[in-house]
Amino acid sequence: MRFNPNWLIAPAAMAAISPAYATEYLNAEQAAKSIFPEADKFSYAPVALSKEQMKEIQKRSGIMQRWSKQDVWRAEKNGKLIGYFITDNVIGKHEFITYGTGLSLDGHVRGIEIMTYKETRGDEVRQSSWRNIFKGKTLNDPFKLNKDIPNISGATLSCKNIMNGVKRLLVLQDMFLQKV
């Protein structure tokens, strides 16, 4: 039997077939400061959720709460609470997208930041023009892709899942975090 070089795939060719792609744009502190530039302190205050609470979040938002612990920071200025910064992960097409959402005390989105993006396509969700669409959104808004949240061609799943994640975080805030 003769050796046939076509039977083997070189490591470089394997990398071309399934490229690894991950970019960390911001850490939690940088993302929080971007959304709450006036804050002089961020206090870590994670929310632990029971299975029943996770089910209630899903019932109210229509979106599954995947983890029983949600990372939350209290944004403060001069010792006064001004809002919450919450980090979350949603699936893109194949990989998790880590993003942070700033919420005002009265339940409005102050902003979102894409912290880590691992997909090979669709990182246009980082564009400020798309992210800024979320500013001011509340639970009373429809959160419908292609209606009040525009879709980005090539990033449909990223757009949809970030949108759904933000809605779920608004429910979490409404249920468990202090309001004005």
Side-chain angles (χ1 to χ4, degrees), residues 123-168:
D123 64 346
E124 295 89 351
V125 295
R126 287 196 63 244
Q127 295 173 353
S128 61
S129 59
W130 186 79
R131 291 181 297 106
N132 287 339
I133 298 293
F134 288 90
K135 287 184 179 179
K137 295 276 184 211
T138 70
L139 278 175
N140 295 324
D141 289 304
F143 281 88
K144 298 288 184 194
L145 196 61
N146 285 326
K147 302 261 189 248
D148 65 327
I149 303 291
N151 183 40
I152 299 171
S153 180
T156 299
L157 292 174
S158 296
C159 291
K160 179 182 178 188
N161 292 334
I162 291 169
M163 175 191 72
N164 287 340
V166 171
K167 180 178 181 181
R168 180 176 39 77

Side-chain angles (χ1 to χ4, degrees), residues 44-64:
Y44 186 60
V47 174
L49 301 165
S50 68
K51 289 185 188 262
E52 293 76 26
Q53 291 169 326
M54 292 170 66
K55 287 178 185 176
E56 184 63 21
I57 290 171
Q58 181 173 353
K59 180 180 173 186
R60 289 190 53 199
S61 69
I63 315 302
M64 183 173 80

Side-chain angles (χ1 to χ4, degrees), residues 62-91:
I63 315 302
M64 183 173 80
Q65 174 71 34
R66 292 181 187 269
W67 296 279
S68 61
K69 177 185 163 204
Q70 190 73 56
D71 289 327
V72 176
W73 286 262
R74 294 168 46 96
E76 301 174 22
K77 181 177 180 179
N78 299 324
K80 183 180 179 198
L81 181 65
I82 59 172
Y84 295 97
F85 177 75
I86 307 172
T87 60
D88 194 35
N89 290 291
V90 294
I91 200 80

